[in-house]
Structure formats: C-alpha cells, structure tokens
Amino acid sequence: MGLRPTIDHSMTDPISPPLRPGVLPRDNFRSIIAALITVLTIYGWIDALGRTPMRHALAAQTRLWWIEQIVSFALAIVCIGIIFRKRPFLTLGFWLTVYSLVFDIVRWIFEFRDDQFEIRIAPLLYAFLLWRLWITRKQVAATEDPLLVDTTG
C-alpha cells in the first residue's frame, strides 16, 4: 500500500543522470534566457519608476497594461526559480511565458496597424524560453511516466 513500483528509466534518456525529485534537468540555454528575461524586466521597472516623466505616465496606463506588467513581473520571479532548476516553477513558467508572448504579439499587431514597426527583443526571448520549457516538460514527463509520453508524443 502506498508503495510505487520502481520503474527503470534507463531507456528514456540513457546519457543523462537520473533526476532528483523537485529538480529540473540541467539546461544552460534555458537558464540564460530566464536570466535575461529577469534582468530586463527588473531593469524596466527600475527605469520606469526612476525617471520622473515616466513615473507620472504610469497613472494614465490602462488596466490591460497593468495586467501585462503584473504577468511579466510574476514571470521574472518564476524565471528565478527556473534558473535554480526548481520543478514547481515549470508549469507556471510555461503558462506565464505563453501569456507574455501573446501580450507582446497583440501589441506588435496593433503597432503594425498604426504603421509603427519595431522589432522587440522580449517576444524573441519569450519564444526561446517557451521552446526550452516545452522540451523540459517532455523530459520531466518522460522520467515520471514513460508510458504517458509514448501515448501523447
């Protein structure tokens, strides 16, 4: 009762060492992207609050803009957990990255319609992080339940 059968994971990824519970697989690229997102988000907030003209403009922002800022700030905090390879941050980081990417794509579409074309770094970083988190989710699922990965791809 309550005992889980031991499963041989040697066939799921034979070159990687077995994962400890609660730890994400090592991925330096994912950690670098998460660190860049964290640094740029925190720098943006410090810059916006530090400059007087920008600080006064914060009151005029829409509710949607504030929601986007809260999501991006939460993502920055979650990225710190991802850098430290904490597994509980994986799913939350994945979905916050999806929301952040959607916010930036919608903003880009509106700017494009207004004949303002700007290439931003944030959507590119979000796309890279989303890709690496997707790979990590599949790796974690493979170590937890190899039968589930076979049926879902």
Side-chain angles (χ1 to χ4, degrees):
M1 287 188 172
L3 296 176
R4 293 183 65 176
T6 56
I7 299 172
D8 180 23
H9 295 289
S10 61
M11 296 303 289
T12 58
D13 193 2
I15 26 183
S16 68
L19 287 176
R20 294 178 303 195
V23 178
L24 294 173
R26 183 174 303 280
D27 185 351
N28 291 336
F29 186 69
R30 180 189 66 223
S31 296
I32 290 169
I33 296 298
L36 284 172
I37 289 172
T38 302
V39 167
L40 291 174
T41 301
I42 293 173
Y43 171 76
W45 270 91
I46 290 171
D47 188 46
L49 295 175
R51 293 184 183 178
T52 304
M54 294 178 78
R55 192 174 343 131
H56 294 303
L58 292 176
Q61 295 298 331
T62 63
R63 183 176 294 166
L64 183 61
W65 184 87
W66 280 105
I67 291 171
E68 178 185 1
Q69 297 307 307
I70 291 168
V71 168
S72 67
F73 192 71
L75 179 61
I77 292 169
V78 168
C79 281
I80 294 170
I82 290 171
I83 293 167
F84 288 117
R85 298 175 49 209
K86 300 297 183 188
R87 193 177 293 186
F89 291 99
L90 179 61
T91 302
L92 185 59
F94 180 82
W95 288 111
L96 285 174
T97 305
V98 168
Y99 296 143
S100 296
L101 187 59
V102 167
F103 278 130
D104 277 349
I105 289 172
V106 168
R107 181 187 315 123
W108 184 77
I109 289 170
F110 283 125
E111 288 175 356
F112 187 72
R113 287 178 58 200
D114 293 337
D115 294 330
Q116 300 172 349
F117 185 71
E118 227 177 83
I119 297 176
R120 298 179 184 262
I121 189 80
L124 183 63
L125 291 175
Y126 294 149
F128 278 139
L129 183 63
L130 191 62
W131 168 55
R132 298 311 289 187
L133 290 176
W134 179 266
I135 291 170
T136 304
R137 284 172 53 131
K138 289 173 67 172
Q139 289 174 338
V140 167
T143 59
E144 289 178 353
D145 191 2
L147 295 177
L148 182 63
V149 174
D150 288 339
T151 59
T152 60

